[in-house]
Amino acid sequence: MNELHVLMTLAGIHFLALMSPGPDFALVVQNSTRYGRQTGVLIALGLSMGILTHSILSLTGISYLVHARPQLFFIVQLLGGSYLAYLGLNGLKSIFHQRKTTSTSPKKSKDFTLTSKRQAFTRGFTTNLLNPKALVFFVSLMSTLVPQSMSLQGKFAALVILWSLSFFWFALLAWALSTQRLQQALTRYAKYIDLLCSLLFTILGCTIISEAVIHTLLG
């Protein structure tokens, strides 16, 4: 298999994985519908940088070493699962708190401070980087498709492809969800989107933690 074929296969598999629902997808949907395009694109940038980090760690063998050591991978699972559960439970807490407050709530500002921009990027980066399922995916993807004999230029091209596809997809999703017409249509469903995404984060986080604990006890 030549390098061009490897890169095309890598791009195809990665793009299919990007389109599957998961915490990255839910994060973009939740925040783009709630805060608008700028926040959604910044989260997309954070997610794509997390994916780039996973790709580099996998290519250099660091992720494989973590995955091969049960104690280290257990820590990664606990950290990642706890973070996702935190996002979900915090979201649910916010939703229930809003229901208890008065019916008139302050309108969200469309102007984002530097702190808000940084938080959006950090939320995307951390959500992807701490997801242990992403670590496993990229270890499998790189070890299966990218041979050790691949040229430095080929590996660099692989990193560029993985990053650019990730940013393109999530930024496109953020843009589509934040168009004026769709924003108006989604306003009435915003609380249900928040609820669904928060439940997804909570379930995924708790599932990752329980799987890690059960595997450790049985192993």
Side-chain angles (χ1 to χ4, degrees):
M1 186 184 297
N2 57 43
E3 291 192 356
L4 179 60
H5 191 192
V6 169
L7 294 174
M8 291 177 63
T9 305
L10 189 70
I13 294 174
H14 179 56
F15 196 65
L16 288 175
L18 287 172
M19 291 188 289
S20 62
D24 295 351
F25 187 92
L27 192 70
V28 175
V29 171
Q30 184 182 41
N31 289 280
S32 296
T33 54
R34 185 194 295 173
Y35 298 117
R37 181 171 300 168
Q38 188 176 27
T39 295
V41 171
L42 285 166
I43 286 175
L45 181 60
L47 290 169
S48 63
M49 291 304 295
I51 288 171
L52 178 62
T53 304
H54 271 300
S55 303
I56 293 172
L57 293 176
S58 297
L59 274 180
T60 55
I62 295 174
S63 291
Y64 177 79
L65 292 176
V66 173
H67 186 236
R69 294 178 178 271
Q71 297 87 350
L72 286 178
F73 189 58
F74 176 71
I75 294 173
V76 171
Q77 287 179 298
L78 285 184
L79 288 174
S82 299
Y83 183 72
L84 291 176
Y86 163 77
L87 292 181
L89 292 173
N90 211 36
L92 291 174
K93 179 182 177 181
S94 176
I95 292 169
F96 290 126
H97 177 72
Q98 288 175 7
R99 292 185 63 179
K100 290 182 178 180
T101 57
T102 56
S103 56
T104 57
S105 57
K107 188 177 180 180
K108 291 183 177 66
S109 173
K110 291 295 182 182
D111 296 321
F112 298 98
T113 64
L114 180 62
T115 303
S116 296
K117 291 177 181 179
R118 188 178 297 129
Q119 286 176 346
F121 173 84
T122 303
R123 178 66 57 86
F125 181 75
T126 309
T127 299
N128 183 270
L129 189 65
L130 291 182
N131 185 358
K133 294 188 181 297
L135 184 148
V136 175
F137 171 75
F138 283 103
V139 167
S140 302
L141 188 67
M142 294 302 189
S143 61
T144 303
L145 288 180
V146 180
Q148 293 184 348
S149 58
M150 192 175 198
S151 67
L152 188 61
Q153 293 87 342
K155 290 179 179 179
F156 180 76
L159 294 176
V160 172
I161 288 171
L162 292 172
W163 176 82
S164 58
L165 279 178
S166 304
F167 180 68
F168 167 77
W169 168 248
F170 289 127
L172 179 65
L173 184 62
W175 178 86
L177 291 170
S178 56
T179 57
Q180 185 176 2
R181 181 177 297 180
L182 193 56
Q183 279 279 296
Q184 292 173 350
L186 288 174
T187 299
R188 69 184 71 177
Y189 302 111
K191 59 183 179 181
Y192 302 109
I193 294 173
D194 277 349
L195 179 61
L196 183 62
C197 292
S198 296
L199 285 172
L200 177 62
F201 285 131
T202 304
I203 292 171
L204 284 174
C206 293
T207 300
I208 290 170
I209 293 171
S210 61
E211 286 178 352
V213 172
I214 291 172
H215 185 269
T216 301
L217 292 175
L218 295 179

